[in-house]
């Protein structure tokens, strides 16, 4: 019964998203998010779009899984990544003060095509991972509900998500984000209220919970997040694209509101994972099976709808940013509606194929892309904040260190890579990698800083 209800509700949301997408759009609306009258989005359209594209399905699951294993420390560690709205807002403000219309504008003026190429490679991989990871969560949910249905669900969501995304591009993503975020807040709010009002819920116990594996690795991961939080937003094109489509005051306010709303949502979702560990529930199916056994049917359905809506809202924004990247930055496709749509089709097909790969470790994509982005920290601190010129070779040292660090974390199980890493938990290894990446990156950038 609950499977039927869930499919019916999600189907209705998919249809509503298609109907909410603009019937007509211009090239400027498709790539720049302008409305049919040429107006820029208002404050709360921008806020809701920022939030719903960042509390995506993978993030909600990560917060809950980390809460289950490491208690409040794990949930806070993941919530720390949402400080990216503060650092991202700061970076966007500085870029706009210096006359840049995007991160690529600023990097291109200082490091040319090579500097932009390195950056574009990282964000292309980031966008592909967004499509892959959110489709993967859709598959996990439907496989847990009806064994063997995951691949079919992934294909259906991919086709329908592509349909309305390709219809209106960024303008469609902004409009549907508002609808999807309001649905998410209503559904998740009801489930969270039921959780905190349930007889077995103890706020004090949740806030001091050690998790199923103890809090140590959660605190380690919090340090990792704090090291990555400055560069992390700069490599997220979905956030950066929304930093340049409205006036500066509206944009600044949107980042601040998005920070506190998204942080509360992530911590709230983490509570469901923490509660599962406190109840002594067995970890099953990325917590989906655990929740199915723990909660009444309507709460479980509300949680699953929250995850599915967040997956859908991120897919359209990732596709819109992918089309802008390939068409406007890389200029590999014509700046037409059909050019943007072909790019979307390519990214959606590639992301769907990756779901067949079989890697369901949801945090790995965050760790790898977050580490790869860390070359931006010394570059932005010295070049953007301190306004000092940096030689291209210094930039390349930082980039090479970050890519090598990301690769080492990804390949940590390979014998020759493991021999170079300290013994310990993977998050302890990640912390050491991040410290080394920053140390080498700052050394290279400072050595390449032009004097006088």
């Amino acid at each position: 019964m609950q499977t039927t209800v869930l499919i019916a509700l999600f189907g209705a949301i998919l249809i509503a998203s298609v109907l909410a997408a603009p019937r007509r759009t211009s090239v400027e609306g498709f790539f720049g998010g302008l409305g049919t009258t040429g107006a820029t989005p208002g404050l709360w359209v921008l806020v809701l779009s920022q939030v719903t594209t960042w509390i995506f399905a993978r993030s909600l699951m990560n917060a809950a899984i980390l809460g289950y294993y490491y208690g409040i420390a794990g949930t806070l560690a993941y919530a720390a990544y949402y400080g990216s709205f503060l650092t991202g807002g700061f970076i966007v403000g500085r870029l706009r003060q210096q006359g840049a219309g995007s991160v690529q504008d600023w990097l291109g003026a200082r490091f040319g095509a090579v500097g932009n190429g390195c950056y574009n490679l990282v964000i292309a991989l980031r966008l592909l991972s967004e499509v892959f990871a959110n489709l993967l969560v859709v598959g996990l949910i439907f496989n847990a509900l009806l064994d063997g249905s995951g691949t079919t669900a992934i294909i259906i969501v991919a086709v329908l998500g592509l349909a309305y995304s390709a219809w209106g591009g960024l303008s469609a993503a902004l409009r549907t984000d508002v609808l999807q975020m309001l649905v998410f807040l209503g559904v998740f709010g009801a489930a969270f209220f039921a959780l905190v009002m349930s007889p077995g819920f103890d706020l004090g116990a949740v806030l001091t919970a050690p998790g199923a594996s103890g809090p140590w690795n959660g605190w380690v991961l919090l340090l990792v997040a704090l090291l990555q939080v400055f560069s992390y937003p700069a490599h997220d094109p979905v956030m950066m694209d929304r930093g340049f489509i409205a006036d500066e005051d509206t944009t600044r306010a949107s980042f601040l509101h998005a920070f506190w709303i998204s942080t509360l949502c992530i911590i709230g979702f983490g509570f469901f994972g923490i509660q599962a560990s406190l109840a002594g529930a067995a970890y099953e199916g990325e917590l989906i099976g655990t929740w199915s056994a723990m909660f009444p049917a309507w709460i479980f359905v509300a949680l699953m709808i929250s995850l599915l809506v967040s997956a859908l809202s991120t897919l359209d924004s990732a596709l819109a940013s992918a089309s802008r990247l390939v068409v406007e930055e890389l200029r590999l496709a014509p700046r037409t509606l059909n050019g943007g749509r072909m790019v979307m089709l390519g990214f959606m097909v590639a992301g769907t194929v990756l779901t067949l790969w079989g890697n369901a470790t949801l945090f790995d994509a965050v760790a790898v892309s977050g580490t790869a982005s860390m070359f931006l920290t010394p570059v932005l601190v010295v070049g953007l904040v301190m306004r000092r010129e940096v030689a291209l070779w210094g930039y390349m040292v930082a980039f090479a260190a970050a890519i090598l660090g990301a690769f080492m974390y990804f390949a940590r199980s390979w014998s020759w890579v493991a021999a170079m890493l300290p013994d310990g938990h993977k998050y302890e290894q990640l912390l050491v990698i991040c410290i080394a990446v920053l140390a080498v990156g700052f050394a290279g950038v400072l050595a390449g800083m032009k004097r006088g």
Side-chain angles (χ1 to χ4, degrees):
M1 178 63 180
Q2 67 182 16
T3 302
T4 303
V5 172
L6 182 59
I7 292 172
L9 289 174
F10 186 51
I13 293 167
L14 277 169
I15 293 169
S17 297
V18 172
L19 294 176
R23 303 277 73 79
R24 294 185 301 172
T25 189
S26 63
V27 171
E28 293 304 321
F30 193 94
F31 294 105
L34 300 182
T36 53
T37 63
T40 58
L43 173 60
W44 285 102
V45 170
L46 209 52
V47 170
L48 293 176
S49 181
Q50 289 270 41
V51 174
T52 192
T53 53
W54 257 62
I55 54 169
F56 38 89
R58 182 184 68 192
S59 289
L60 294 172
M61 290 304 301
N62 281 336
I65 292 167
L66 292 173
Y68 177 86
Y69 280 113
Y70 311 118
I72 193 65
T75 292
L76 290 177
Y78 203 78
Y81 279 100
Y82 287 76
S84 293
F85 279 113
L86 301 181
T87 55
F90 172 79
I91 290 168
V92 165
R94 287 299 182 99
L95 289 172
R96 294 180 68 154
Q97 284 174 13
Q98 296 181 28
S102 66
V103 178
Q104 287 95 332
D105 275 357
W106 188 85
L107 289 174
R110 285 153 183 80
F111 305 108
V114 174
N116 256 347
C118 293
Y119 175 77
N120 287 333
L121 173 64
V122 171
I123 67 171
L125 293 174
R126 162 81 177 175
L127 286 168
L128 186 58
S129 78
E130 292 302 291
V131 176
F132 153 70
N134 284 282
L135 287 175
L136 182 63
V137 172
V138 172
L140 290 170
I141 290 172
F142 280 93
N143 268 333
L145 294 172
L146 189 62
D147 190 37
S149 66
T151 300
T152 302
I154 285 172
I155 293 172
I156 291 172
V157 171
V159 169
L160 292 177
L162 176 64
Y164 79 78
S165 301
W167 203 327
L170 184 55
S171 61
L174 290 168
R175 287 181 61 168
T176 56
D177 283 348
V178 173
L179 165 70
Q180 291 157 357
M181 188 61 200
L182 291 175
V183 171
F184 172 86
L185 289 174
V187 174
F188 175 64
F192 183 75
F193 180 77
L195 172 70
V196 297
M197 296 303 293
S198 63
F201 182 83
D202 182 339
L203 181 60
V206 168
L207 295 178
T208 57
S213 299
W216 169 253
N217 289 317
W219 297 124
V220 171
L221 193 55
L222 177 60
L223 292 177
V224 170
L226 294 176
L227 291 176
Q228 293 185 351
V229 75
F230 187 78
S231 62
Y232 201 85
H235 94 300
D236 183 78
V238 173
M239 179 185 286
M240 290 294 103
D241 285 353
R242 283 157 177 74
F244 296 92
I245 58 178
D247 64 84
E248 291 189 39
D249 288 341
T250 299
T251 301
R252 188 181 306 111
S254 74
F255 275 85
L256 291 173
H257 287 304
F259 164 68
W260 69 263
I261 295 171
S262 59
T263 302
L264 288 178
C265 288
I266 285 294
I267 293 174
F269 213 91
F271 277 17
F272 283 91
I274 297 172
Q275 183 67 15
S277 71
L278 288 173
Y283 182 87
E284 182 183 346
E286 302 291 332
L287 285 181
I288 295 169
T290 303
W291 287 331
S292 178
M294 278 183 62
F295 297 120
W298 78 267
I299 295 181
F300 176 73
V301 169
L303 288 174
M304 296 305 101
I305 287 292
S306 300
L307 288 168
L308 291 169
V309 169
S310 62
L312 187 64
S313 67
T314 304
L315 285 173
D316 56 27
S317 295
L319 294 176
S321 289
S323 67
R324 200 193 79 79
L325 169 67
V326 174
V327 171
E328 296 200 323
E329 300 297 343
L330 299 178
R331 299 183 182 179
L332 296 177
R335 194 175 187 273
T336 62
L337 297 180
N338 285 336
R341 287 163 180 162
M342 290 305 296
V343 174
M344 288 184 170
L345 174 62
F347 269 78
M348 185 64 94
V349 169
T352 303
V353 170
L354 281 175
T355 61
L356 306 176
W357 174 33
N359 182 10
T361 307
L362 295 176
F363 184 73
D364 276 2
V366 176
V368 171
S369 70
T371 305
S373 77
M374 293 181 76
F375 77 97
L376 291 166
T377 297
V379 172
L380 293 174
V381 168
V382 175
L384 183 67
V385 179
M386 297 172 59
R387 298 198 178 199
R388 303 295 297 272
E389 289 187 46
V390 177
L392 176 59
W393 68 263
Y395 174 96
M396 293 306 298
V397 167
F399 177 75
I403 295 301
L404 179 60
F407 170 77
M408 290 185 70
Y409 183 75
F410 175 79
R412 62 190 179 276
S413 62
W414 299 5
S415 58
W416 65 273
V417 175
M420 293 188 287
L421 294 173
D423 290 333
H425 189 272
K426 62 181 180 179
Y427 296 155
E428 294 173 326
Q429 293 176 331
L430 179 60
L431 177 60
V432 171
I433 289 171
C434 289
I435 292 171
V437 166
L438 284 179
V440 173
F442 268 105
V445 168
L446 291 173
M449 186 174 67
K450 297 180 181 178
R451 310 299 173 185

